[in-house]
Amino acid sequence: MSGTSRVILILGAGPGIGQAVARTFASRGYKVAIAARSLKEADSTDDQLNITSDFNNPGDVVNAFTRVKSVLGIPSVVVYNAGAWTPSPADDPFAIPLDGFTRDMTVNATSAFVAAQQAVLGFAELPADAARSFFFTGNILNVTALPRFMSAGAGKSASAHMMMAAAAAYKDRGFKFYYADERKADGTPAFKVDGDEHAKLFWELAEAKTQGPWLQTFVKGVGFKSFDNQYQL
């Protein structure tokens, strides 16, 4: 893989998935940039570029890509790991305020759209041997109704559709798009997700030469596993 394209941008970086993905890719020679609301750019190190970003503002996504490109280069791997959720009563999902629903849709879908859009612009400038992979950290909400999580499910469903459409549209150009959903072995949601398992999956898919199933349901210690309640290309 081209040395000039080994840059990963992680949008939304908590102590679980985001940090695990950063460690894994850094250990394999990638330059790492992490964008999150809690980060201070002054705390950047030689090994990690920090970018202060609030994904309730889609413009911050564009700024993150601009900053990464100017400092490290065009990211060949992009991970959208941001999320928002306004809890609703299980028997009344429309009881949440509009501003909460709007915020959640912005973080879970609109900013993810902007991130994928920016990623495609960058991928088009990279050589064919670059990873050119985009990952959206999802969950079971795109195929299962959990009324208390309605606002999160609406956004995850929208982004799942984006990943499905992108995987079909861009695969002939070598751009890869995935919606990652960790499950238990019986197909039920893994509410306590494993950051290292996500990192391992993302690394394997980034290194692959062609697009795999866009809907990456996977089980800890097993890897990808297809379940009946999902659609594939």
Side-chain angles (χ1 to χ4, degrees):
M1 188 178 294
S2 172
T4 60
S5 65
R6 294 177 70 84
V7 177
I8 182 171
L9 170 59
I10 304 167
L11 300 157
I17 295 171
Q19 293 298 330
V21 172
R23 288 193 304 269
T24 294
F25 278 77
S27 70
R28 290 162 169 80
Y30 269 73
K31 302 172 186 176
V32 176
I34 299 181
R37 187 171 51 187
S38 60
L39 295 177
K40 295 181 180 179
E41 297 193 22
D43 292 335
S44 296
T45 67
D46 292 340
D47 300 319
Q48 179 176 302
L49 173 65
N50 290 344
I51 305 168
T52 306
S53 302
D54 182 353
F55 301 112
N56 193 34
N57 174 16
D60 277 11
V61 177
V62 178
N63 293 339
F65 275 86
T66 300
R67 177 71 172 150
V68 174
K69 184 176 180 180
S70 67
V71 177
L72 301 179
I74 298 171
S76 57
V77 178
V78 178
V79 177
Y80 193 85
N81 187 50
W85 168 49
T86 301
S88 55
D91 61 350
D92 190 8
F94 293 115
I96 63 173
L98 177 59
D99 59 350
F101 181 80
T102 300
R103 181 204 62 187
D104 296 350
M105 287 298 292
T106 299
V107 174
N108 295 326
T110 305
S111 286
F113 169 86
V114 175
Q117 188 178 57
Q118 291 292 307
V120 165
L121 293 174
F123 292 170
E125 298 184 44
L126 293 175
D129 63 346
R132 299 184 297 178
S133 301
F134 186 99
F135 299 96
F136 181 92
T137 302
N139 53 36
I140 202 171
L141 289 173
N142 63 307
V143 293
T144 299
L146 298 175
R148 292 190 66 248
F149 296 85
M150 191 268 291
S151 67
K156 297 289 188 182
S157 297
S159 288
H161 186 88
M162 286 189 277
M163 296 303 98
M164 177 172 60
Y170 294 106
K171 66 178 180 179
D172 289 342
R173 277 174 269 185
F175 305 171
K176 297 169 290 185
F177 290 84
Y178 296 101
Y179 180 97
D181 171 12
E182 185 178 354
R183 304 279 188 92
K184 296 178 183 178
D186 62 359
T188 56
F191 287 108
K192 187 177 181 180
V193 298
D194 189 294
D196 290 328
E197 286 291 319
H198 280 77
K200 178 183 177 183
L201 178 73
F202 292 176
W203 174 256
E204 292 172 351
L205 292 172
E207 286 291 286
K209 301 301 182 184
T210 57
Q211 173 77 48
W214 69 271
L215 184 49
Q216 284 286 317
T217 43
F218 67 102
V219 176
K220 182 177 180 179
V222 176
F224 173 75
K225 183 177 180 180
S226 181
F227 295 97
D228 290 340
N229 60 339
Q230 64 185 38
Y231 296 96
Q232 298 292 349
L233 287 175

